């Protein structure tokens, strides 16, 4: 172990040496600038880099056993690395450890599907059975392994160079004796490729797929081992690892798409590595990732969600890079035959993977997004013409270089306009004239199709979309798909903005504007007594299948937001609630952002994001749902970003949908108009807002201090005060604007910018469930997060078509005080473990601190057939087998803590059976400080638990308090 530490200091010294070698025009409701003479302009420091690097360094993925999901054709649970082209997943134990090599350009021309490129198998058989500990270090983009058996330990450090297609693994053995090892190079399917060797380099030549075809990519994996006299033979290198010696395994990877000279280029790269060149390579690697992380940061109380945000950005930086082929469904981590060909799926999958690059201020990661779409334009025109229309039509699945893996429309016309959504968003975020010129020809062709395809209804004065299914294979008639309506709006709005900014297309803009303003309204319906969006005006109505099509006009369509009418926002929120698709296979990549944009309960959003970051994520920080690959990079990123900052209605809002009592801070997030925004909220008050204008131009933002004036600083100089609800300014390129509550000095703003977010905890909760009091985070939702999927066993709905247990607020039924209370119900079916634990309140945004004198108090009214017809005579009278339960931030719960109530009874729901009187209000108090002082509460549950019971149970809980 001592030798290993000495080695790390030596490498650090080498790397250090290598690094050394290396104005206001208008304002609404504000004070004119002239009213307050500016002070001298000061240099405005940007603390984003320091904050970002300090924050990301906290988060790592860890494994104490080898990963198990490696070859099922979808997202793997392995440690991951990548440079936006080459990706590596690490599987197996050290006696048979496999590095799976993938590459974004390795699409077979025989199938037009992505294929695995190769494998490198490192085997140290003498360490079979070693303890396994692997860390995915995202701050430095490397994977570190420690494998210990007896008095021997092997340390490894692996990374894919950020600047070259080189995969590096260093090995260092400690202990008393040497270990034999082998390095075996295989093709993507684990078979032996054609090999040759020269000057200590083992060259392996591979191809994409099992069938060769014209244009099929080939590649070379050139492998060498430094630090020993390696012994190549066939496709294997044999070596002996001696204690205290550092060995470097290097694999240079080049494909025929990279260069026609891929074989010689790969061989030369592997042969040329020296200790000095390796140090410079690693210094460049660290520099790239340091710059990447410096773009933006978030700091929130929920560390699981914060970790997921950074983990998603690590995977984004690993999977996509300008100048390289774009990633398909599963990114560059291809371990075998990948589902759905691993292609560029048009109906949200491909697009969603790139959305987070915008709001997180990593726009460069979108540099390759457009390439396959633009390459497909000739075929898109031919496809539209064959169907009798102008413009372009795209199928559901395209591949690189104008190819297609799934050349079918599936009765959808929306694929091309779905592809267009990222292009429009990128322009709106960046306002880049050069980018507009690049994509406008494609967007105009998409628009030309819709101009030709839409039908005009003179009676209603609207354009309608006919025979366009909102979901794959929907049978016609399907009129006015809500998905297509949203995306067509977005397309024409983008065409108008780009054209007006470039001063072109003057003859076309009026037509586009007429279409945008006269598209059919978003279809609605009544469901469960609420107005909700439906999928079409004729055809699919309400569909319960795990998709969120009904709200995709909100996101990615961007047609509903906080500046819209209260009725429209309520319809959108009703739709989100009734979909209840937080963790389905196809919704999470877009549902969270949509919910935040319409002001859905932010506490619920945070709790469901917490579940995504824990229950639905792998140790490598990949959010996983069946059928969803790198699209899920958008779950936590855009979901959280839209809670922190919104700008899609060309009006910047900070903390527009943030949980009360939850402190948070962010820096460098990107807003529409090419504005970088930083802000902080503490004790429900925004502390400051910093806006840097990267491109100049008009800035509109909502006053973060409603009804109050604010101080206005530009490039460090005081420019007066501003007031009003909506503020409009004109900015110069590079200008930095600081805003703060009246009386706040610029020095205070700078100080707060440099400080980390303050921890947020609260000490009490009091609610009678009345209007204006804290309302539940969830309604009728089983807790399968903290119960590890065991939140419901054997409990079905009490009656009336209900499908499961209930816990929701009711008014005018039964209350201890006031008018409202929390009703619970369910039906037990006599199972040996019958129970149901339902989530009620979540506090991951600001956990409730338990002091020594903290008490839980509530009133409960268990019902029998005497007070409700839903618990018939003959039931087991188990309505009293119910208790308020708590989950703590360490994952423990109240029910199993040993705590007792005021009568000495256990607080587990089973222990309340027979203690609570039926059909009357019972008061329950629990001294939490006796068992949980110093801990914090993250969730409140209502638990029913009575094994073997048969029949219904029902009751009410009121006047709940913790404090």
């Amino acid at each position: 172990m001592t030798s290993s530490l000495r080695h790390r200091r030596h490498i650090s010294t080498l790397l250090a040496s290598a690094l050394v070698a290396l104005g206001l025009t208008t304002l609404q409701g504000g004070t004119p600038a002239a009213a307050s003479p500016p002070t001298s302009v000061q240099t405005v420091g940007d603390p984003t880099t320091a904050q970002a690097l300090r924050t990301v360094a906290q988060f790592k993925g860890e494994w104490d056993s080898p990963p198990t999901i490696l070859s099922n054709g979808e997202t793997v649970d392995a440690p991951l690395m990548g440079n936006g082209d080459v990706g590596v997943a690490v599987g197996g134990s050290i006696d048979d450890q496999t590095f799976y090599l993938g590459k974004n350009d390795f699409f077979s021309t025989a199938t037009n599907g992505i294929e695995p490129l190769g494998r490198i198998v490192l085997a140290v058989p003498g360490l079979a059975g070693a303890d396994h500990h692997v860390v995915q270090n995202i701050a430095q983009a490397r994977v570190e392994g420690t494998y210990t058996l007896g008095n021997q330990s092997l340390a490894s450090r692996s990374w894919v160079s950020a600047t070259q297609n080189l995969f590096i693994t260093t090995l260092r053995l400690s202990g008393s004796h040497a270990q034999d090892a082998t390095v075996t190079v295989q093709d993507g399917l684990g078979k032996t490729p054609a090999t040759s060797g020269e000057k200590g380099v083992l060259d392996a030549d591979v191809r994409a797929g099992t069938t060769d075809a014209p244009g099929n990519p080939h590649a070379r994996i050139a492998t060498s081992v430094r630090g020993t006299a390696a012994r190549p033979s066939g496709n294997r290198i044999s070596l002996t690892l001696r204690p205290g010696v550092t060995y470097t395994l290097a694999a240079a990877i080049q494909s025929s798409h990279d260069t026609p000279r891929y074989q010689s280029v790969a061989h030369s790269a592997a042969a040329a590595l020296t200790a000095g060149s390796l140090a410079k390579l690693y210094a460049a690697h660290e520099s790239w990732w340091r710059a990447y992380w410096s773009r933006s940061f978030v700091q929130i109380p929920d560390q699981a969600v914060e970790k997921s945000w950074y983990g998603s950005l690590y995977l984004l930086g690993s999977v996509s890079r300008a100048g390289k082929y774009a990633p398909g469904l599963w990114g560059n981590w291809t371990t075998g035959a990948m589902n759905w060909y691993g292609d560029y799926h048009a109906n949200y999958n491909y697009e969603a993977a790139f959305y987070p690059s915008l709001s997180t201020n990593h726009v460069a990661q979108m540099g390759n997004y457009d390439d396959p779409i633009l390459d497909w334009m000739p075929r898109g025109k031919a496809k539209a013409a064959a169907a009798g229309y102008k413009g372009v039509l795209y199928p559901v699945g395209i591949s690189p270089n104008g190819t297609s893996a799934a050349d079918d429309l599936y009765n959808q016309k929306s694929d091309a306009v779905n592809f267009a959504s990222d292009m429009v968003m990128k322009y709106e975020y960046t306002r880049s004239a050069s980018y507009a010129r690049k994509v406008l020809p494609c967007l105009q062709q998409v628009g030309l199709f819709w101009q030709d395809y839409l039908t005009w209804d003179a009676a209603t004065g609207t354009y309608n979309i006919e025979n366009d299914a909102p979901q794959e294979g929907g049978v016609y008639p399907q009129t006015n798909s809500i998905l297509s309506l949203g995306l067509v709006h977005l397309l024409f709005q983008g065409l108008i903005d780009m054209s007006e900014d470039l001063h072109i297309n003057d003859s076309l803009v009026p037509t586009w504007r007429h279409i945008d303003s006269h598209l059919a309204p978003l279809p609605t319906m009544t469901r469960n007594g609420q107005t909700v969006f439906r999928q079409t005006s004729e055809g699919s109505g309400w569909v319960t299948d795990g998709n969120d099509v009904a709200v995709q006009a909100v996101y990615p369509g961007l047609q509903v937001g906080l500046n819209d009418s209260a009725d429209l926002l309520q319809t959108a929120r009703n739709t989100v609630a009734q979909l209840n698709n937080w963790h389905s296979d196809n919704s999470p990549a877009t549902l969270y952002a949509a919910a935040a944009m319409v002001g859905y309960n932010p506490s619920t959003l945070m709790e469901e994001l917490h579940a995504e970051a824990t229950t639905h994520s792998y140790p490598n920080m990949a959010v996983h749902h069946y059928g969803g690959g790198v699209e899920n990079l958008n779950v936590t990123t855009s979901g959280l970003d839209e809670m922190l900052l919104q700008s899609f209605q060309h009006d910047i809002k900070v903390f527009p949908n943030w949980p009360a009592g939850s402190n948070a801070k962010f820096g460098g997030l990107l807003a529409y108009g090419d504005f970088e925004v930083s802000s902080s909220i503490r004790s429900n008050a925004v502390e400051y807002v910093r806006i840097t204008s990267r491109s100049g131009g008009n800035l509109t933002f909502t006053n973060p201090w409603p009804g109050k004036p604010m101080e206005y600083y530009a490039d460090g100089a005081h420019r007066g005060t501003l007031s009003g609800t909506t503020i409009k300014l004109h900015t110069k390129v590079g200008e930095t604007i600081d805003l703060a509550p009246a009386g706040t000095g610029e020095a205070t703003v700078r100080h707060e910018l440099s400080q980390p977010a303050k921890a947020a905890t609260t000490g009490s909760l009091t609610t009678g469930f009345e209007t204006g009091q804290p309302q539940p985070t969830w309604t009728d939702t089983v807790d399968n997060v903290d119960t590890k999927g065991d939140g419901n066993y054997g409990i079905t709905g009490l009656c009336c078509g209900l499908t499961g247990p209930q816990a929701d607020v009711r008014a005018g039924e039964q209350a201890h005080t006031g008018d409202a209370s929390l009703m619970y119900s369910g039906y037990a079916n006599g199972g040996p473990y019958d129970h149901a634990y339902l989530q009620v309140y979540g506090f991951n945004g600001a956990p409730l601190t338990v002091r020594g004198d903290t008490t839980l108090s509530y009133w409960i009214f268990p019902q029998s057939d005497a007070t409700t017809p839903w618990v018939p005579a003959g039931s087991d009278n188990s309505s009293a087998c119910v208790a308020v339960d708590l989950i703590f931030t360490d994952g423990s719960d109240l029910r199993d803590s040993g705590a007792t109530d005021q009568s000495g009874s256990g607080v587990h729901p089973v222990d309340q059976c027979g203690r609570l009187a039926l059909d009357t209000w019972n008061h329950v108090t629990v001294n939490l400080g006796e068992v949980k002082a110093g801990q914090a509460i993250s969730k409140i549950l209502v638990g029913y638990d009575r094994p073997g019971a048969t029949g219904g149970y029902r009751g009410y809980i009121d006047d709940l308090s913790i404090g």
Side-chain angles (χ1 to χ4, degrees):
M1 200 55 80
T2 303
S3 297
S4 179
L5 290 173
R6 280 202 303 269
H7 166 64
R8 283 198 289 270
R9 286 197 293 270
H10 175 64
I11 287 293
S12 297
T13 302
L14 280 175
L15 295 179
S17 300
L19 284 168
V20 168
L22 299 180
L24 178 69
T25 59
T26 63
L27 82 166
Q28 182 171 330
T31 303
S36 178
T39 59
S40 59
V41 176
Q42 307 171 45
T43 301
V44 179
D46 183 4
T48 298
T49 294
Q51 293 269 27
L53 295 176
R54 180 171 60 238
T55 308
V56 70
Q58 304 173 77
F59 301 120
K60 296 175 173 64
E62 295 192 60
W63 291 256
D64 287 322
S65 60
T68 59
I69 303 172
L70 289 163
S71 57
N72 62 349
E74 56 177 83
T75 305
V76 299
D77 65 346
L80 300 175
M81 298 165 278
N83 66 0
D85 184 19
V86 171
V88 177
V90 187
S93 53
I94 193 60
D95 57 308
D96 187 27
Q97 187 164 85
T98 300
F99 299 99
Y100 296 86
L101 311 180
K103 201 166 184 296
N104 281 342
D105 65 12
F106 228 51
F107 276 81
S108 165
T109 56
T111 64
N112 295 323
I114 192 76
E115 299 286 351
L117 186 141
R119 301 177 185 178
I120 295 176
V121 181
L122 170 65
V124 187
L127 294 180
D131 290 341
H132 181 104
H133 184 68
V134 174
V135 173
Q136 181 176 279
N137 179 338
I138 67 171
Q140 295 173 297
R142 66 193 191 198
V143 171
E144 301 150 351
T146 305
Y147 313 95
T148 304
L149 184 66
N151 69 346
Q152 284 210 296
S153 182
L154 179 65
S156 67
R157 189 178 71 181
S158 303
W159 44 285
V160 175
S161 166
T163 57
Q164 296 184 38
N165 280 354
L166 277 161
F167 166 60
I168 307 293
T169 294
T170 58
L171 303 168
R172 190 174 181 88
L173 182 69
S174 63
S176 58
H177 60 277
Q179 291 283 351
D180 290 330
T182 58
V183 175
T184 304
V185 183
Q186 301 172 343
D187 69 11
L189 300 177
K191 298 179 180 178
T192 302
T195 60
S196 58
E198 181 183 357
K199 297 181 181 179
V201 177
L202 172 62
D203 293 319
D205 291 320
V206 297
R207 71 182 184 201
T210 58
T211 303
D212 211 0
N216 202 39
H218 290 234
R220 170 162 286 186
I221 308 167
T223 307
S224 64
V225 178
R226 303 295 175 184
T228 183
R231 305 179 294 277
S233 177
N235 68 326
R236 176 171 296 179
I237 299 174
S238 300
L239 64 151
T240 300
L241 303 176
R242 302 190 183 283
V245 179
T246 298
Y247 303 88
T248 301
L249 163 64
I253 302 157
Q254 290 286 308
S255 77
S256 54
H257 285 312
D258 293 324
T259 172
R261 299 172 47 249
Y262 67 95
Q263 293 170 310
S264 61
V265 170
H267 178 90
S268 297
L273 275 181
T274 63
S277 65
L278 183 63
K280 290 180 180 179
L281 188 70
Y282 186 74
H285 173 80
E286 280 200 319
S287 178
W288 191 95
W289 279 98
R290 180 183 176 87
Y292 179 80
W293 290 124
S294 297
R295 303 293 302 170
S296 61
F297 71 89
V298 299
Q299 296 170 354
I300 62 174
D302 192 318
Q303 292 294 279
V305 175
E306 186 176 309
K307 177 180 178 179
S308 181
W309 190 88
Y310 283 99
S312 296
L313 286 188
Y314 169 71
L315 299 177
L316 175 66
S318 300
V319 81
S320 180
R321 201 70 54 87
K324 303 296 183 181
Y325 276 59
L329 287 171
W330 313 105
N332 48 15
W333 300 294
T334 47
T335 57
M338 306 307 290
N339 294 340
W340 294 283
Y341 304 101
D343 66 2
Y344 306 140
H345 240 57
N347 45 10
Y348 93 85
N349 309 81
Y350 180 63
E351 298 85 355
F354 290 90
Y355 292 144
S357 65
L358 297 170
S359 59
T360 65
N361 200 11
H362 291 88
V363 180
Q365 307 319 118
M366 274 195 73
N368 52 16
Y369 171 83
D370 310 312
D371 297 341
I373 300 167
L374 300 181
D375 289 345
W376 225 87
M377 279 184 65
R379 289 188 63 178
K381 289 180 180 179
K383 202 171 190 68
Y389 298 103
K390 300 174 183 177
V392 290
L393 261 177
Y394 279 58
V396 69
I398 67 172
S399 307
N401 304 313
T403 63
S404 178
D407 191 18
D408 197 319
L409 296 178
Y410 291 103
N411 285 351
Q412 294 179 302
K413 308 299 190 304
S414 56
D415 293 321
V417 74
N418 230 322
F419 278 138
S421 63
D422 291 73
M423 299 178 182
V424 173
M425 287 189 203
K426 181 175 178 179
Y427 178 73
E428 298 293 359
Y429 271 101
T430 66
R431 306 302 279 199
S432 167
S434 60
Y435 182 71
R437 293 188 188 98
K438 174 186 176 183
V439 299
L440 256 176
C442 177
L443 296 180
Q444 286 183 231
Q445 288 297 314
V446 181
L448 185 59
F449 168 81
W450 287 102
Q451 287 172 241
D452 196 24
Y453 189 76
L454 293 168
T455 60
W456 175 253
D457 185 340
T460 60
T462 60
Y463 290 98
N464 293 317
I465 302 174
E466 297 180 351
N467 294 333
D468 171 37
Q471 298 195 54
E472 292 180 8
V475 179
Y476 298 151
Q478 299 278 351
T479 303
N480 291 328
S481 158
I482 194 168
L483 164 64
S484 295
L485 287 171
L487 293 173
V488 171
H489 271 299
L490 181 65
L491 169 69
F492 284 111
Q493 290 159 4
L495 283 170
I496 293 166
D497 286 348
M498 291 183 199
S499 298
E500 291 186 338
D501 288 352
L502 294 177
H503 306 291
I504 60 175
N505 293 329
D506 291 346
S507 63
L508 298 175
V509 167
T511 299
W512 296 338
R513 200 181 299 280
H514 191 265
I515 292 173
D516 180 45
S517 60
H518 290 82
L519 271 177
L522 301 181
T524 61
M525 62 186 291
T526 300
R527 185 175 188 270
N528 296 329
Q530 295 179 324
T531 301
V532 296
F533 291 131
R534 59 175 284 158
Q535 292 195 1
T536 66
S537 59
E538 180 185 8
S540 298
W542 186 268
V543 180
T544 305
D545 65 350
N547 284 282
D548 65 335
V549 172
V551 291
Q552 287 188 345
V554 178
Y555 186 88
L558 307 184
Q559 298 309 302
V560 185
L562 295 177
N563 288 352
D564 286 307
S565 70
D567 287 346
L568 183 59
L569 287 169
Q570 190 59 54
T571 296
R573 290 193 288 265
N574 293 343
T575 307
V576 171
Q578 293 202 34
L579 282 171
N580 196 25
N581 281 344
W582 303 113
H583 313 298
S584 66
D585 292 338
N586 291 308
S587 286
T590 50
L591 182 62
Y592 287 93
M597 286 174 167
V598 299
Y600 194 80
N601 186 335
S603 295
T604 303
L605 283 176
M606 186 59 66
E607 297 301 329
E608 299 298 357
L609 282 172
H610 182 87
E612 289 290 324
T614 53
T615 304
H616 300 284
S617 291
Y618 289 143
N620 58 27
M621 301 178 224
V623 176
H624 173 65
H625 296 276
Y626 173 74
V630 293
E631 71 195 51
N632 287 321
L633 299 181
N634 198 48
V635 175
T636 310
T637 47
S638 289
L640 181 59
D641 289 354
E642 295 297 334
M643 297 175 71
L644 297 169
L645 173 69
Q646 291 183 21
S647 62
F648 69 99
Q649 293 183 309
H650 301 278
D651 174 12
I652 293 174
K653 296 178 172 67
V654 296
F655 302 103
N657 196 39
W658 193 247
S662 181
N663 296 350
K665 189 184 189 83
F666 66 85
L669 296 184
L670 191 61
Y672 268 36
D674 208 19
F675 297 103
E676 289 183 352
V677 184
S678 303
S679 190
S680 174
I681 191 169
R682 185 181 183 187
S683 300
N684 298 318
V686 174
E687 295 185 291
Y688 62 83
V689 179
R690 169 168 284 186
I691 302 173
T692 299
S693 178
R694 301 200 307 191
S695 300
N698 295 326
L699 165 67
T700 300
F701 63 92
T702 294
N703 186 348
W705 302 280
K708 299 178 180 179
M710 70 190 80
E711 303 294 344
Y712 165 38
Y713 300 90
D715 288 332
H718 189 241
R719 299 293 185 183
T721 60
L722 304 173
S723 62
T725 301
T726 303
I727 313 296
K728 295 184 179 181
L729 304 173
H730 184 76
T731 65
K732 299 176 295 184
V733 175
E735 185 176 23
T736 295
I737 294 170
D738 287 335
L739 307 166
T744 305
E746 173 73 344
T748 300
V749 174
R750 294 186 184 186
H751 175 75
E752 292 300 331
L753 276 162
S754 66
Q755 300 302 304
K758 309 300 189 296
T761 58
T762 54
S764 64
L765 168 76
T766 300
T767 183
F769 306 100
E770 308 293 334
T771 301
Q773 296 179 345
Q775 294 296 301
T777 307
W778 294 279
T779 296
D780 301 341
T781 304
V782 171
D783 177 19
N784 281 319
V785 178
D786 294 288
T787 59
K788 305 297 188 293
D790 189 35
N792 182 8
Y793 183 96
I795 306 303
T796 54
L798 179 62
C799 68
C800 327
L802 295 170
T803 58
Q806 294 178 287
D808 67 347
V809 174
R810 297 293 180 88
E813 293 187 4
Q814 185 73 248
H816 179 251
T817 60
D819 185 55
S821 62
L822 184 78
M823 189 277 297
Y824 64 83
S825 80
Y827 191 92
N829 290 279
Y833 309 106
D834 277 1
H835 63 258
Y837 289 87
L838 277 75
Q839 304 174 133
V840 182
Y841 286 94
F843 306 106
N844 278 304
L848 291 172
T849 301
V850 179
R851 306 178 307 276
D853 61 350
T854 299
T855 298
L856 164 67
S857 170
Y858 61 95
W859 291 79
I860 183 169
F861 189 102
Q863 292 184 290
S864 73
D865 63 304
T867 56
T868 176
W870 306 121
V871 181
S875 294
D876 284 346
N877 291 328
S878 57
S879 297
C881 302
V882 171
V884 171
D885 190 21
L886 306 177
I887 302 295
F888 299 88
T889 54
D890 65 355
S892 64
D893 55 58
L894 179 63
R895 63 184 180 273
D896 296 317
S897 67
T900 58
D901 64 15
Q902 76 280 4
S903 66
S905 300
V907 297
H908 196 290
V910 167
D911 298 327
Q912 297 290 295
C913 293
R915 192 197 78 75
L916 299 176
L918 297 173
D919 305 314
T920 189
W921 285 103
N922 300 259
H923 191 203
V924 178
T925 62
V926 181
N927 187 337
L928 297 178
E930 285 186 350
V931 292
K932 290 293 184 178
Q935 295 197 34
I937 301 165
S938 63
K939 190 180 291 185
I940 297 177
L941 311 179
V942 169
Y944 165 84
D945 208 323
R946 189 177 184 186
T950 301
Y953 66 89
R954 193 177 190 274
Y956 297 88
I957 294 171
D958 202 0
D959 295 332
L960 168 67
S961 68
I962 298 174

